[in-house]
Amino acid sequence: MELDPLLLSRIQFAFVVCFHTIFPVFTIGLASYIALLQGLFFKTQNPAWDRLALFWTKVFAVVFGMGVVSGIVMSFQFGTNWSNFSLAASNFIGPMLSYEVVTAFFLEAAFLGILLFGRGKVPQGIHLLAATMVAIGTFISAFWILSANSWMHTPAGVELIDNRFHVISWREAIFNPSFPYRFAHMALASFITGGFVVAGVSAWFLLRGRDPQANRRALSMCLWLLLFLTPLQAVVGDYHGLNTLEHQPTKVAAMEGHWETSTNVPLLLFAWPDQEAQENRFAIGIPNLASLILTHSLDGEIPGISEAPPEEQPPVILVFWAFRVMVGLGLLMIATSFAGLILRRGGRIYESPVFLKTLVGMISLPFIAVLAGWIVTESGRAPWLVYGMMTHAEGLTPSLTGWMALFTLIGYMLVYAVVFYAGIYYLTRVVRNGMLPEQAQASADHDADRPKRPLSAAHTPFDDDVDPVRS
Amino acid sequence: MEMFDLSIIWAGIIGFGVIMYVLMDGFDLGLGILFPFAPDEDARDVMMNSVAPVWDGNETWLVLGGAGLLAAFPLVYSIFLPALYIGVFLMLAGLIFRGVAFEFRFKSRRNRHWWNRAFSWGSAVAAFAQGVVVGAYIQGFQTEDFVYTGGAFDWLTPFTVVTGLGLMAGYALLGSTWLILKSEGHVQDWAYKITPPLLIAVLVVFAIVSIWTPFVNQVVWERWFGHLRLIWIFPAMALLFAFLVFRSVKQRRESYPFIATIGIYVFTYLGLIVSQWPMIVPPNYTLWDAASAPESQLFLLIGVLFVIPVILMYTAWTYWVFRGKVRVGEGYH
Ligand code: HDD
Ligand code: HEM
Ligand code: HEM
């Protein structure tokens, strides 16, 4: 069998970028949360905030580390597998990625050192500043990279001369039509992810009766946040979809499983899109609803997938189902947040085992929703790499052979499998270990020997700067 | 020529970024290479703690190198990476393992020896791969019409293996002199002990590569044995600094060995640049061929000129916060 470097590169890119995104989407939310906790501690001097901050910083250190190493891979993927694209789009993508490095990555890296190791070495205010800077850095980073990505979806402000994109308007290129929606949707997704993870872990502690005081505070905070953010995400997602309808109608048609241009389009709840036959099997839907959502009128006309010739159509089944997974999970999250509001009466959010267990079970769901969302977005634009201007095949590295791509694909899978497994393992240990007892956080125990007892809770305040975070 | 040539300014910035990366990640990769030979587990703790707060920032210079090339000299990016495809993968795999080892090693008890290995093997592979890149750069690339046309393993030749091993030795030297600076007691004694042999290894490779290079690349031969005699100052300076490393280790000075090692690097690096200048994708493309559009170079330059000094300031500040010795079993004080 001939190995296809194009298909293998696509799988590889999808794999490494999905793996990478798992971490930022969590660290972006968590960084802001840690900064908030430190700010509360700074203001009130209530040690409960400090203990929460320290605990989440430990988790953060691990997740951030994995985000960094997988991100370094990303910055070389463009060149190794998509060198034609890199050369063609360098005039725009290059400055975007470089600005990301100089404005975000250095900021994050420098202040991360202070955040993780600076306890006791720098004044409290500076430590708070470091936490804030890391949080800001994650947002700046998301800004540039999402701008670059959005530009590939809705290219603007450029001219194609001799196979190279030349920027004629930086403002239009950076703030391209899909960028505001994508940035808002992704920022919300990050906060939602952070919120559900913190809520789930706090619920887990509460179920075991550990640290009820601090964990109640944490849980309550998260649920308030989620109560606002989850419905907002649905609204933003709706606008995002409308914008996509304008710029990438084929993608929206694929999300809806809608083959022929028509009016009174139903919203399909279930279907099995068949790309060969260009139709759906077993379709179950709600009449007229898709027309209503997308055009705000019952008999609105929606262009179908078949507007695009078959070789320019995305993999419909993938887009269709990934979209349903994302929206389904989104609705579930809204429901959970509202259940939290109702259960607040009489403090049942802290006591109801069913509710707490549900929250624990939901820890992984936002990650799945995020990956599903990216799959909708990215595979929905196939076969275009730069929408309407450059296809995947045109962007591929010419010298790349099938076996080279296969070799690295398998390589990354093995490496990431080890890293991911170890990461989850150590994160579980950090969480199991929980927060430091109150005395330990403040007490001075000079015999604490970190290397030999890495997980011991007793440390000197000086050791705090390394040990509780490191161990 | 115009008033100022953006491509030359960018060559300067990228050149600065690369040497910053080599020096900064060099010493922390070097500690990884030395890791298996450390006298005991305490020493390993000290070694790792001495770089834990700064390694992420050090590695960011590599990302800047990648992104900066894509922005300013995209041809370099789009030819080097395909040409070095397998090597780049190995380097990244190495960097992944050593990067997560920082987090995982301290959290691990039973499996600690595995993370020790991940740290040392990861560092060694990454250092070797980077040395190979240097060798491949001296060798040149097979290209046609702005596209790499060579095979998957053109980068792996006896010459590049030597440069790979050379950079490993060089990084180890940076690591050992860094450790002299940051440690005390038996760890520091050990660092003093291993520095001279490492330096000799570096000088041997230095000699081999210098003699071999002119045969690998005709242009380089002309450059060194043609009329531009002035450039011999660079290897001479590098040798002078090598001597200073020897002497300062003998006198048991604490910071001089590290500083003098930086001197060796800077002058070797300058020597390498003058060998190829202005070729940036040897043997076919100059830095002007490889440049991106002037408006892109300018757009980024404006930001970078503002931001790089700020970055240097807060990087210096973090090093200042974590200055001083790292003690066994204590972490930072
Ligand atoms: C919405 C957010 C987002 C998205 C879509 C991406 N990243 Fe990312 N990336 C981040 C948000 C982020 C971050 C929050 O800034 C990280 C996560 C952990 C970290 O260290 O910073 C990061 C780390 C990170 C690093 C390491 C930075 C360092 O050395 O400190 C690199 C090189 C990249 N990313 C590059 C990429 C590339 C090339 C991407 C696209 C293909 C990409 N990221 C997608
Ligand atoms: C933000 C910067 C991003 C850029 C510049 C980018 C760019 C690309 C490119 C070049 C491809 C080509 C390969 C292909 O489509 O087959 C691709 C595909 C893909 N990307 Fe992105 N991407 C980005 C972010 C993400 C993120 C964060 C994710 C999600 C986790 C993601 C998920 C995917 C998936 C699933 C594919 C495969 C689609 C397919 O096979 O058709 N992307 N992306
Ligand atoms: C509940 C209702 C939701 C709706 C209506 C919605 C809508 C959409 C649409 C239309 C897209 C594709 C945009 C495009 O590429 O053109 C998208 C992408 C995405 N969604 Fe959602 N979404 C919802 C919930 C969520 C939730 C709960 C999450 C995660 C927590 C999420 C995360 C994402 C991500 C990460 C992307 C890809 C990045 C992007 O294009 O913005 N979505 N969403």
Side-chain angles (χ1 to χ4, degrees):
Chain A
M1 198 189 81
E2 216 18 66
L3 290 172
D4 178 10
L6 177 62
L7 182 66
L8 289 166
S9 293
R10 290 178 59 182
I11 297 175
Q12 173 169 324
F13 195 94
F15 176 70
V16 291
V17 78
C18 284
F19 184 82
H20 173 60
T21 309
I22 295 173
F23 306 105
V25 80
F26 183 29
T27 48
I28 294 172
L30 194 55
S32 299
Y33 182 59
I34 290 172
L36 174 70
L37 291 173
Q38 294 221 344
L40 287 170
F41 175 57
F42 188 71
K43 221 174 128 194
T44 63
Q45 293 297 316
N46 179 341
W49 298 127
D50 192 33
R51 294 171 56 224
L52 278 171
L54 187 54
F55 170 72
W56 284 109
T57 308
K58 282 190 233 177
V59 174
F60 185 77
V62 177
V63 182
F64 202 90
M66 296 204 278
V68 170
V69 293
S70 59
I72 292 175
V73 171
M74 291 316 302
S75 57
F76 291 96
Q77 280 288 309
F78 294 117
T80 50
N81 292 57
W82 308 100
S83 70
N84 271 0
F85 161 74
S86 305
L87 191 59
S90 57
N91 286 332
F92 178 66
I93 301 279
M96 293 301 104
L97 293 186
S98 302
Y99 266 119
E100 183 181 16
V101 179
V102 296
T103 57
F105 292 158
F106 277 111
L107 192 72
E108 290 171 336
F111 287 98
L112 180 75
I114 307 279
L115 176 65
L116 299 189
F117 300 95
R119 255 171 198 275
K121 282 188 85 74
V122 294
Q124 223 188 60
I126 301 287
H127 202 231
L128 169 61
L129 175 82
T132 315
M133 285 306 195
V134 172
I136 293 175
T138 60
F139 270 100
I140 300 177
S141 160
F143 174 90
W144 294 111
I145 196 74
L146 290 177
S147 169
N149 176 268
S150 298
W151 176 84
M152 294 167 70
H153 284 276
T154 49
V158 291
E159 217 173 15
L160 195 55
I161 309 168
D162 284 343
N163 275 327
R164 299 256 194 128
F165 292 95
H166 285 257
V167 181
I168 40 184
S169 161
W170 289 99
R171 196 181 48 78
E172 276 175 36
I174 295 175
F175 297 96
N176 57 75
S178 66
F179 171 65
Y181 302 97
R182 188 162 285 114
F183 185 70
H185 201 54
M186 186 70 186
L188 283 174
S190 307
F191 276 134
I192 292 174
T193 306
F196 272 107
V197 175
V198 176
V201 171
S202 311
W204 189 83
F205 282 133
L206 286 176
L207 279 168
R208 274 156 194 72
R210 282 165 63 176
D211 270 299
Q213 200 213 2
N215 283 308
R216 282 175 175 223
R217 278 170 194 265
L219 181 62
S220 164
M221 252 163 82
C222 285
L223 286 175
W224 280 123
L225 185 78
L226 291 171
L227 185 64
F228 290 100
L229 295 190
T230 50
L232 189 60
Q233 178 73 325
V235 174
V236 171
D238 183 40
Y239 279 101
H240 196 356
L242 292 178
N243 181 65
T244 307
L245 181 64
E246 194 182 325
H247 297 277
Q248 302 175 322
T250 317
K251 186 196 277 181
V252 174
M255 292 193 267
E256 302 297 343
H258 175 55
W259 294 93
E260 302 293 335
T261 304
S262 62
T263 58
N264 299 75
V265 180
L267 183 75
L268 298 180
L269 297 178
F270 183 92
W272 195 257
D274 181 341
Q275 195 123 10
E276 294 265 294
Q278 301 269 304
E279 63 180 26
N280 294 326
R281 295 166 189 241
F282 326 111
I284 306 169
I286 305 171
N288 297 345
L289 193 56
S291 282
L292 183 67
I293 292 175
L294 288 169
T295 64
H296 294 200
S297 102
L298 284 176
D299 55 359
E301 185 183 79
I302 302 181
I305 304 165
S306 59
E307 295 279 312
E311 66 280 4
E312 286 185 20
Q313 292 175 1
V316 178
I317 194 160
L318 192 61
V319 181
F320 181 86
W321 276 109
F323 185 66
R324 267 147 198 74
V325 169
M326 171 182 67
V327 175
L329 291 177
L331 296 177
L332 183 65
M333 292 174 200
I334 297 176
T336 313
S337 312
F338 275 92
L341 181 66
I342 296 165
L343 292 174
R344 248 172 220 280
R345 295 196 61 176
R348 278 174 298 161
I349 44 167
Y350 311 121
E351 268 133 39
S352 154
V354 178
F355 184 66
L356 293 178
K357 279 184 189 151
T358 309
L359 286 178
V360 175
M362 287 189 69
I363 289 180
S364 61
L365 297 190
F367 295 97
I368 298 173
V370 165
L371 293 184
W374 276 109
I375 290 170
V376 175
T377 299
E378 299 288 342
S379 52
R381 78 167 130 148
W384 298 108
L385 202 49
V386 181
Y387 204 75
M389 299 175 107
M390 182 178 215
T391 62
H392 289 143
E394 289 165 344
L396 192 71
T397 299
S399 60
L400 189 67
T401 61
W403 75 263
M404 285 162 81
L406 183 67
F407 174 80
T408 51
L409 174 61
I410 295 176
Y412 283 118
M413 285 182 165
L414 292 178
V415 172
Y416 282 0
V418 173
V419 169
F420 194 70
Y421 173 80
I424 297 287
Y425 175 77
Y426 291 115
L427 275 176
T428 335
R429 284 229 322 227
V430 171
V431 172
R432 286 245 175 80
N433 232 35
M435 276 167 257
L436 291 182
E438 216 150 309
Q439 359 27 305
Q441 190 125 357
S443 83
D445 169 3
H446 270 283
D447 303 327
D449 173 345
R450 177 189 38 71
K452 300 215 180 70
R453 289 189 292 143
L455 289 166
S456 80
H459 290 287
T460 69
F462 285 115
D463 268 345
D464 268 4
D465 48 75
V466 178
D467 301 335
V469 178
R470 283 285 139 184
S471 35
Chain B
M1 275 253 275
E2 294 171 35
M3 276 268 287
F4 56 95
D5 185 334
L6 280 170
S7 292
I8 293 201
I9 299 177
W10 268 107
I13 295 174
I14 305 263
F16 176 71
V18 170
I19 189 72
M20 283 300 279
Y21 171 71
V22 169
L23 294 175
M24 297 176 82
D25 215 25
F27 71 74
D28 68 50
L29 286 168
L31 286 181
I33 295 169
L34 296 173
F35 218 55
F37 310 105
D40 52 32
E41 206 58 19
D42 282 345
R44 295 200 180 99
D45 287 331
V46 170
M47 289 163 82
M48 216 162 189
N49 274 331
S50 76
V51 291
V54 291
W55 74 272
D56 181 14
N58 296 349
E59 227 151 72
T60 306
W61 290 94
L62 176 68
V63 183
L64 178 64
L69 280 175
L70 178 60
F73 301 109
L75 193 65
V76 181
Y77 186 85
S78 71
I79 286 178
F80 276 43
L81 290 175
L84 301 161
Y85 190 82
I86 304 280
V88 169
F89 166 75
L90 294 176
M91 177 187 85
L92 293 172
L95 291 177
I96 291 171
F97 277 120
R98 75 181 295 276
V100 295
F102 278 101
E103 287 306 324
F104 295 164
R105 180 176 176 273
F106 283 111
K107 294 185 174 60
S108 171
R109 269 167 301 185
R110 268 180 301 121
N111 293 322
R112 172 168 290 202
H113 59 288
W114 284 111
W115 295 117
N116 283 347
R117 258 171 237 165
F119 186 59
S120 59
W121 278 95
S123 307
V125 169
F128 178 76
Q130 289 173 8
V132 167
V133 176
V134 177
Y137 171 70
I138 298 174
Q139 247 176 221
F141 300 89
Q142 183 187 328
T143 53
E144 210 180 292
D145 228 4
F146 299 99
V147 168
Y148 176 69
T149 53
F153 285 105
D154 287 11
W155 52 274
L156 195 62
T157 62
F159 180 71
T160 59
V161 170
V162 172
T163 54
L165 294 174
L167 197 65
M168 280 172 75
Y171 281 171
L173 179 66
L174 270 173
S176 72
T177 51
W178 168 259
L179 195 59
I180 291 175
L181 180 70
K182 296 296 279 188
S183 67
E184 55 186 20
H186 77 294
V187 184
Q188 195 188 33
D189 289 340
W190 174 70
Y192 274 123
K193 205 175 81 201
I194 59 171
T195 299
L198 285 172
L199 181 61
I200 291 170
V202 171
L203 289 177
V204 169
V205 177
F206 189 78
I208 297 177
V209 172
S210 310
I211 295 168
W212 198 339
T213 302
F215 296 100
V216 175
N217 188 320
Q218 185 63 30
V219 180
V220 178
W221 197 91
E222 312 245 305
R223 182 69 42 95
W224 287 95
F225 300 102
H227 42 261
L228 245 171
R229 291 290 148 70
L230 210 66
I231 58 180
W232 285 89
I233 184 101
F234 295 128
M237 288 299 286
L239 285 177
L240 176 69
F241 275 104
F243 170 72
L244 288 179
V245 175
F246 257 124
R247 213 184 55 176
S248 55
V249 167
K250 218 170 197 154
Q251 298 166 338
R252 286 184 78 95
R253 308 282 285 264
E254 295 205 320
S255 47
Y256 270 70
F258 184 63
I259 295 169
T261 307
I262 291 180
I264 303 181
Y265 265 91
V266 170
F267 285 101
T268 313
Y269 179 68
L270 289 174
L272 188 67
I273 291 176
V274 295
S275 305
Q276 297 277 13
W277 181 269
M279 287 299 157
I280 198 167
V281 186
N284 292 336
Y285 302 111
T286 65
L287 80 163
W288 295 279
D289 299 327
S292 59
E295 68 272 12
S296 296
Q297 288 190 334
L298 186 65
F299 177 72
L300 186 58
L301 184 65
I302 295 167
V304 161
L305 288 183
F306 275 105
V307 183
I308 295 257
V310 180
I311 291 174
L312 290 175
M313 263 158 49
Y314 59 61
T315 304
W317 176 63
T318 24
Y319 275 85
W320 172 252
V321 169
F322 296 108
R323 71 193 178 279
K325 299 283 183 191
V326 181
R327 294 188 178 84
V328 175
E330 274 182 338
Y332 287 105
H333 279 254

